[in-house]
Amino acid sequence: MRLGILQTGHAPDDLRRDFGDYDYLFRRLLGEEAFDYVTYPVVDDIFPGSVEDTDGWLITGSRYSVNDADPWMGKLIAFISQIKASGRPMVGICFGHQAIAKALGGEVGENPGGWIAGESDYMTPEGAHDRTLHAWHQEQILTLPSTAQVVSGSSACPYAVLRYGVGALSYQAHPEFTADFIRGLVATRGQSLPDGIKSGANNADEAEIARARTSVEIVTFLNPR
């Protein structure tokens, strides 16, 4: 299966040298053998020719806001709508999670509680623990699209994992981020984090982090065979 990665940002230079760029983090998470990967750095205004260029799509995280007025942002939102109409599966992570919601009629804005960074626990709507993942975001979905189903969330981030039938699956947190990567983000982009949140993110751990489970979930969703 050919998977198109819509890369909406770049990792900081220091982290890129040690960990690779955002597209590589997903190749490592999902497995090099899982898909035939092709990256489109849409953040640099390099877009696919058509939604039919690949069998499925993954939209990465980004330091930018889906509400920015940059021309590539509008093109991306329109392209997501085309993917949904095509019936091809897509997965969104953090910024990608928010971009899918905006394209499908939701509202995205600043989290009223401010930054969320580091380990985050998410619960099902029935109150059972769903998963723990590393998060890094100041904005989040404020109003759900009508077609979205909540898989899990938290009091600080109610719409953390969403499904849109068989068409889309999205996560506010970052299954591709390791604890070391989170600590690197604190060092390179954590200047605006409140001290308490910065300290928590710096103490990130891999224990109980559901990266492997979420990876299998993403692979199965994109390619159910």
Short mmCIF file of all heavy atoms in Angstrom, two decimals, residues 10-21 180-181 183-185 187-189 191:
data_model
loop_
_atom_site.label_atom_id
_atom_site.label_comp_id
_atom_site.label_asym_id
_atom_site.label_seq_id
_atom_site.Cartn_x
_atom_site.Cartn_y
_atom_site.Cartn_z
N HIS A 10 8.45 21.02 10.17
CA HIS A 10 9.77 20.41 10.27
C HIS A 10 10.21 20.36 11.73
O HIS A 10 9.95 21.31 12.49
CB HIS A 10 10.80 21.19 9.46
CG HIS A 10 10.56 21.17 7.98
ND1 HIS A 10 10.73 20.04 7.22
CD2 HIS A 10 10.14 22.15 7.13
CE1 HIS A 10 10.43 20.30 5.96
NE2 HIS A 10 10.08 21.58 5.87
N ALA A 11 10.88 19.32 12.11
CA ALA A 11 11.47 19.24 13.45
C ALA A 11 12.58 20.29 13.58
O ALA A 11 13.20 20.67 12.58
CB ALA A 11 12.04 17.85 13.69
N PRO A 12 12.82 20.78 14.80
CA PRO A 12 13.95 21.70 15.00
C PRO A 12 15.25 21.07 14.48
O PRO A 12 15.42 19.85 14.53
CB PRO A 12 13.97 21.88 16.52
CG PRO A 12 12.59 21.58 16.97
CD PRO A 12 12.08 20.52 16.05
N ASP A 13 16.15 21.91 14.00
CA ASP A 13 17.38 21.41 13.38
C ASP A 13 18.14 20.44 14.27
O ASP A 13 18.60 19.39 13.81
CB ASP A 13 18.29 22.59 13.00
CG ASP A 13 17.74 23.41 11.85
OD1 ASP A 13 16.84 22.90 11.15
OD2 ASP A 13 18.20 24.55 11.66
N ASP A 14 18.30 20.78 15.55
CA ASP A 14 19.07 19.92 16.46
C ASP A 14 18.40 18.55 16.59
O ASP A 14 19.08 17.52 16.62
CB ASP A 14 19.20 20.56 17.84
CG ASP A 14 20.15 21.75 17.83
OD1 ASP A 14 20.86 21.92 16.82
OD2 ASP A 14 20.18 22.50 18.83
N LEU A 15 17.08 18.53 16.66
CA LEU A 15 16.37 17.26 16.80
C LEU A 15 16.36 16.49 15.49
O LEU A 15 16.39 15.26 15.48
CB LEU A 15 14.93 17.50 17.27
CG LEU A 15 14.77 18.14 18.64
CD1 LEU A 15 13.30 18.13 19.06
CD2 LEU A 15 15.60 17.43 19.69
N ARG A 16 16.34 17.21 14.38
CA ARG A 16 16.33 16.54 13.08
C ARG A 16 17.62 15.75 12.87
O ARG A 16 17.61 14.67 12.29
CB ARG A 16 16.17 17.59 11.97
CG ARG A 16 15.56 17.04 10.69
CD ARG A 16 15.43 18.12 9.63
NE ARG A 16 14.86 19.34 10.15
CZ ARG A 16 14.77 20.47 9.47
NH1 ARG A 16 15.26 20.51 8.23
NH2 ARG A 16 14.23 21.54 9.99
N ARG A 17 18.72 16.30 13.37
CA ARG A 17 20.00 15.59 13.24
C ARG A 17 20.00 14.29 14.05
O ARG A 17 20.56 13.28 13.63
CB ARG A 17 21.15 16.49 13.69
CG ARG A 17 21.51 17.58 12.69
CD ARG A 17 22.83 18.23 13.06
NE ARG A 17 22.73 18.98 14.31
CZ ARG A 17 22.41 20.26 14.38
NH1 ARG A 17 22.13 20.94 13.27
NH2 ARG A 17 22.35 20.88 15.55
N ASP A 18 19.35 14.32 15.21
CA ASP A 18 19.39 13.16 16.10
C ASP A 18 18.26 12.15 15.84
O ASP A 18 18.45 10.95 16.02
CB ASP A 18 19.30 13.61 17.56
CG ASP A 18 20.53 14.39 18.01
OD1 ASP A 18 21.60 14.20 17.39
OD2 ASP A 18 20.42 15.19 18.96
N PHE A 19 17.08 12.66 15.44
CA PHE A 19 15.90 11.80 15.34
C PHE A 19 15.32 11.70 13.93
O PHE A 19 14.50 10.82 13.68
CB PHE A 19 14.80 12.32 16.28
CG PHE A 19 15.17 12.32 17.73
CD1 PHE A 19 15.66 13.46 18.34
CD2 PHE A 19 15.03 11.17 18.49
CE1 PHE A 19 15.99 13.47 19.69
CE2 PHE A 19 15.36 11.16 19.84
CZ PHE A 19 15.85 12.31 20.44
N GLY A 20 15.69 12.59 13.04
CA GLY A 20 15.06 12.66 11.73
C GLY A 20 13.91 13.65 11.74
O GLY A 20 13.47 14.14 12.78
N ASP A 21 13.40 13.96 10.55
CA ASP A 21 12.30 14.92 10.43
C ASP A 21 10.98 14.22 10.73
O ASP A 21 10.91 13.01 10.94
CB ASP A 21 12.29 15.54 9.03
CG ASP A 21 11.76 16.97 9.02
OD1 ASP A 21 11.16 17.39 10.04
OD2 ASP A 21 11.93 17.66 7.99
N ASP A 180 12.54 11.04 24.80
CA ASP A 180 13.72 11.82 24.46
C ASP A 180 13.39 12.96 23.51
O ASP A 180 13.93 14.06 23.61
CB ASP A 180 14.80 10.93 23.85
CG ASP A 180 15.49 10.05 24.87
OD1 ASP A 180 15.42 10.37 26.08
OD2 ASP A 180 16.10 9.04 24.48
N PHE A 181 12.49 12.69 22.57
CA PHE A 181 12.10 13.74 21.62
C PHE A 181 11.34 14.85 22.34
O PHE A 181 11.57 16.04 22.06
CB PHE A 181 11.25 13.15 20.50
CG PHE A 181 11.08 14.08 19.33
CD1 PHE A 181 11.99 14.07 18.29
CD2 PHE A 181 10.01 14.97 19.26
CE1 PHE A 181 11.84 14.94 17.20
CE2 PHE A 181 9.85 15.83 18.19
CZ PHE A 181 10.77 15.81 17.15
N ARG A 183 11.70 15.76 25.44
CA ARG A 183 12.69 16.56 26.18
C ARG A 183 13.46 17.47 25.24
O ARG A 183 13.81 18.60 25.60
CB ARG A 183 13.63 15.63 26.96
CG ARG A 183 12.99 15.03 28.20
CD ARG A 183 14.01 14.32 29.07
NE ARG A 183 14.37 13.03 28.52
CZ ARG A 183 13.72 11.89 28.80
NH1 ARG A 183 12.68 11.90 29.61
NH2 ARG A 183 14.11 10.75 28.27
N GLY A 184 13.71 16.99 24.02
CA GLY A 184 14.36 17.84 23.03
C GLY A 184 13.50 19.02 22.64
O GLY A 184 14.00 20.14 22.43
N LEU A 185 12.19 18.80 22.53
CA LEU A 185 11.28 19.91 22.22
C LEU A 185 11.27 20.95 23.34
O LEU A 185 11.21 22.15 23.08
CB LEU A 185 9.86 19.38 21.99
CG LEU A 185 9.57 18.75 20.63
CD1 LEU A 185 8.11 18.25 20.60
CD2 LEU A 185 9.79 19.74 19.49
N ALA A 187 13.73 21.70 25.20
CA ALA A 187 14.98 22.46 25.09
C ALA A 187 14.97 23.43 23.92
O ALA A 187 15.55 24.52 24.00
CB ALA A 187 16.16 21.50 24.96
N THR A 188 14.30 23.05 22.81
CA THR A 188 14.39 23.87 21.60
C THR A 188 13.17 24.76 21.37
O THR A 188 13.29 25.82 20.76
CB THR A 188 14.56 22.97 20.36
OG1 THR A 188 13.47 22.03 20.30
CG2 THR A 188 15.88 22.22 20.41
N ARG A 189 12.01 24.34 21.87
CA ARG A 189 10.79 25.11 21.62
C ARG A 189 9.93 25.30 22.87
O ARG A 189 8.77 25.66 22.77
CB ARG A 189 9.94 24.42 20.54
CG ARG A 189 10.57 24.49 19.15
CD ARG A 189 9.66 23.89 18.09
NE ARG A 189 10.24 24.04 16.76
CZ ARG A 189 9.76 23.45 15.67
NH1 ARG A 189 8.67 22.68 15.75
NH2 ARG A 189 10.36 23.61 14.51
N GLN A 191 10.28 27.49 25.37
CA GLN A 191 10.45 28.75 26.10
C GLN A 191 9.13 29.30 26.64
O GLN A 191 9.11 29.95 27.69
CB GLN A 191 11.10 29.80 25.18
CG GLN A 191 12.50 29.46 24.73
CD GLN A 191 12.52 28.54 23.52
OE1 GLN A 191 11.47 28.10 23.04
NE2 GLN A 191 13.72 28.24 23.03
#
